[in-house]
Amino acid sequence: MITIDELKARTDEAFAQMREDLTSLVAIPSVSSSSFDQSHVQASAEFTAELLAGVGMDSVEILKASAPDGTVSRPAVVARRDVNPDAPRVLLYAHHDVQPPGDVEDWDQEDPFTVVERDGRLYGRGTADDKAGVIAHIGALRVLGDDLGVNITCFIEGEEEIGSPTFAAFLEQYHEALESDVIVVLDSSNWKVGEPALTTSLRGVVDLSVELTCGTHAVHSGIFGGPYLDANLLMCRLLATLHDDAGDVVVEGLTHAPDSDLDYPEEQWRSDAGLIEGYELAGTGSLPTRLWSRPAFALIGMDITSVAMKSNTIAPSCRAALSLRIPPGQDPREAAEAVRAHLEKHAPNGARVEVDVNELGAPFDAGEDTPMMLLSRWAMTEAWGHEAVSVGLGASIPFISDLADAFPEADILITGIEDPDTRAHGANESLDLGEFKGATLAEALLLAALAGDITPDL
């Protein structure tokens, strides 16, 4: 029988190799956005497959699937290891694709894909989201080695950062290979550094494009300005109708989830968000309630003349990209139609407003505690030496609902490797080394407990 102390010692021994593997994986710029070279995504899948083969997986494949519209998925890695037909099967999920690096000038290093260590953190695109998740899965399997007592399937996706467009098709095509009793998703965030969390709810996402048109062509602002408000100003007026004066969303048909009673000190949140002094927070209710249980809009793109290219011209049309986060319990399609109806109703000055729906992602609610959730929090508490909590996540992981639909009998555990200062998707993305080790050890403990090799004190 393996012991907790032995797993801790093995994790310490394996950690240098894990760091090396992560550094090598981050060096592959596997941006899945179609405007980037997709050969890097293939190279990332191949390197991940090599790592999985190196920790004793029985079979390792790089697979693709086709969606009904003909879209072919980015390469995913599926690896299996069978140790006991009577033991449960655990699916370990992470993704090897990453977000674009953005403006390199915004990074405090020359190359966003070259890992740099500063003050106990590793900096680089994908260090946390989610290549650390990939390596933590591999690290847990390395730590257990021949003591692995459960059957394992690893599913390392290659298109999460573009919304997993073929995810449902992939699950359908490879359903038998992926079917499991427990699914561990390592792509979330912990409460703070040193305080682990199990994510039990997720907001869904609705991605919308809004086009406002008020004329057939551009005209001189001096000659026509006054009675003719340009489309850019009208778009601002239109988008302002989404909130009341307090900053709460006022779109009829958008719902709220139950309020959260978890405390999140405002000063801590302001620091985590990087707010300037004096900025007033929007909305009402506790911070966790506003972050996890209420709808939230963000204007994430706008087609408008840049300041550098300004001219005295009245724009006849304007296009904006809206991201709406919806709480558990809200149907994303109904939410999209509610926003469409609101924007059309509030079209200013008789302008024409057209709304296109680009992406729908369902929210997720794990519900009441299950034995598997209790076991997961026990493993986290042992690994971090700090009691684990259950949290919601304001961000969205739309494929979680696809997993729940495809495998309704499976327990889904959403675990974290990020922290509030990770800055995923932004410049200077980073990974706290303590969280990296904690996530690896927690997973090894969980797998050992599922095998019956460790008896948790629940």
Side-chain angles (χ1 to χ4, degrees):
M1 296 286 284
I2 197 166
T3 67
I4 294 173
D5 287 342
E6 187 173 356
L7 287 178
K8 289 180 178 179
R10 289 186 188 183
T11 303
D12 289 340
E13 292 171 5
F15 200 59
Q17 184 62 54
M18 290 173 56
R19 286 187 56 173
E20 182 178 328
D21 291 342
L22 179 59
T23 298
S24 298
L25 188 56
V26 169
I28 305 171
S30 53
V31 180
S32 52
S33 173
S34 58
S35 56
F36 288 77
D37 183 353
Q38 294 306 292
S39 68
H40 296 305
V41 182
Q42 178 67 29
S44 179
E46 291 171 358
F47 183 67
T48 300
E50 290 177 13
L51 291 176
L52 285 165
V55 293
M57 301 303 284
D58 297 329
S59 67
V60 182
E61 298 179 279
I62 297 176
L63 302 174
K64 295 183 179 181
S66 296
D69 64 359
T71 302
V72 178
S73 72
R74 305 294 194 264
V77 185
V78 176
R80 290 170 61 91
R81 183 175 173 188
D82 300 323
V83 298
N84 183 349
D86 297 323
R89 177 167 294 279
V90 182
L91 175 69
L92 306 178
Y93 169 92
H95 63 89
H96 67 93
D97 66 316
V98 298
Q99 283 280 325
D103 192 341
V104 176
E105 297 300 319
D106 293 334
W107 288 75
D108 295 334
Q109 59 199 74
E110 290 185 8
D111 178 11
F113 296 102
T114 299
V115 171
V116 174
E117 181 179 353
R118 294 194 298 273
D119 301 322
R121 301 186 73 94
L122 300 182
Y123 288 81
R125 174 58 82 231
T127 49
D129 185 19
D130 182 34
K131 291 185 175 180
V134 175
I135 301 303
H137 285 323
I138 293 169
L141 296 175
R142 182 179 288 125
V143 165
L144 287 166
D146 292 337
D147 291 309
L148 178 67
V150 294
N151 304 304
I152 294 291
T153 301
C154 290
F155 175 25
I156 311 301
E157 190 193 357
E159 57 181 22
E160 194 275 344
E161 296 295 7
I162 55 171
S164 302
T166 67
F167 196 87
F170 196 98
L171 295 184
E172 181 177 359
Q173 185 169 341
Y174 301 107
H175 188 275
E176 184 176 352
L178 298 173
E179 191 166 17
S180 304
D181 302 296
V182 181
I183 300 172
V184 180
V185 175
L186 188 44
D187 189 23
S188 188
S189 180
N190 288 308
W191 185 231
K192 58 183 69 173
V193 170
E195 297 188 22
L198 182 68
T199 299
T200 55
S201 72
L202 297 162
R203 288 193 296 198
V205 64
V206 178
D207 184 274
L208 303 162
S209 296
V210 184
E211 185 160 16
L212 182 149
T213 304
C214 53
T216 58
H217 57 274
V219 295
H220 194 292
S221 62
I223 296 174
F224 293 95
Y228 188 178
L229 295 181
D230 63 84
N232 300 328
L233 282 174
L234 293 181
M235 178 66 83
C236 294
R237 292 179 58 188
L238 174 62
L239 299 182
T241 67
L242 297 171
H243 300 87
D244 61 19
D245 290 342
D248 286 315
V249 172
V250 291
V251 175
E252 185 177 351
L254 297 186
T255 62
H256 294 179
D259 290 354
S260 171
D261 58 4
L262 196 63
D263 181 43
Y264 197 160
E266 182 175 323
E267 288 307 310
Q268 179 64 50
W269 190 85
R270 285 179 173 275
S271 175
D272 293 340
L275 299 182
I276 63 171
E277 185 176 353
Y279 178 84
E280 296 183 6
L281 303 187
T284 55
S286 70
L287 276 172
T289 293
R290 280 179 270 177
L291 291 167
W292 308 334
S293 305
R294 303 282 175 84
F297 282 101
L299 176 61
I300 59 173
M302 199 167 182
D303 291 336
I304 187 171
T305 305
S306 68
V307 173
M309 299 297 291
K310 66 182 179 180
S311 66
N312 288 314
T313 305
I314 292 178
S317 64
C318 180
R319 188 170 174 83
L322 281 178
S323 177
L324 167 65
R325 305 291 173 159
I326 55 175
Q330 175 84 73
D331 179 85
R333 195 167 300 280
E334 291 178 359
E337 291 309 313
V339 177
R340 185 199 306 275
H342 177 96
L343 293 173
E344 290 175 349
K345 177 181 177 180
H346 290 83
N349 294 59
R352 183 173 70 243
V353 170
E354 298 173 279
V355 180
D356 291 324
V357 179
N358 304 317
E359 179 187 349
L360 297 173
F364 172 76
D365 186 355
E368 297 297 321
D369 273 353
T370 65
M372 203 58 61
M373 292 162 66
L374 294 173
L375 188 62
S376 181
R377 281 200 296 271
W378 165 83
M380 291 179 180
T381 299
E382 284 289 341
W384 268 267
H386 191 289
E387 185 176 357
V389 297
S390 292
V391 300
L393 192 66
S396 305
I397 311 179
F399 65 79
I400 295 294
S401 293
D402 292 330
L403 284 171
D405 290 341
F407 307 113
E409 301 302 317
D411 285 283
I412 300 177
L413 303 173
I414 307 172
T415 59
I417 203 162
E418 301 175 24
D419 66 82
D421 201 34
T422 288
R423 304 186 190 182
H425 295 197
N428 297 314
E429 176 185 347
S430 67
L431 168 72
D432 181 87
L433 287 169
E435 304 301 280
F436 190 24
K437 183 179 290 187
T440 305
L441 175 57
E443 186 164 295
L445 289 166
L446 174 66
L447 297 178
L450 284 171
D453 295 330
I454 291 177
T455 302
D457 181 18
L458 298 178

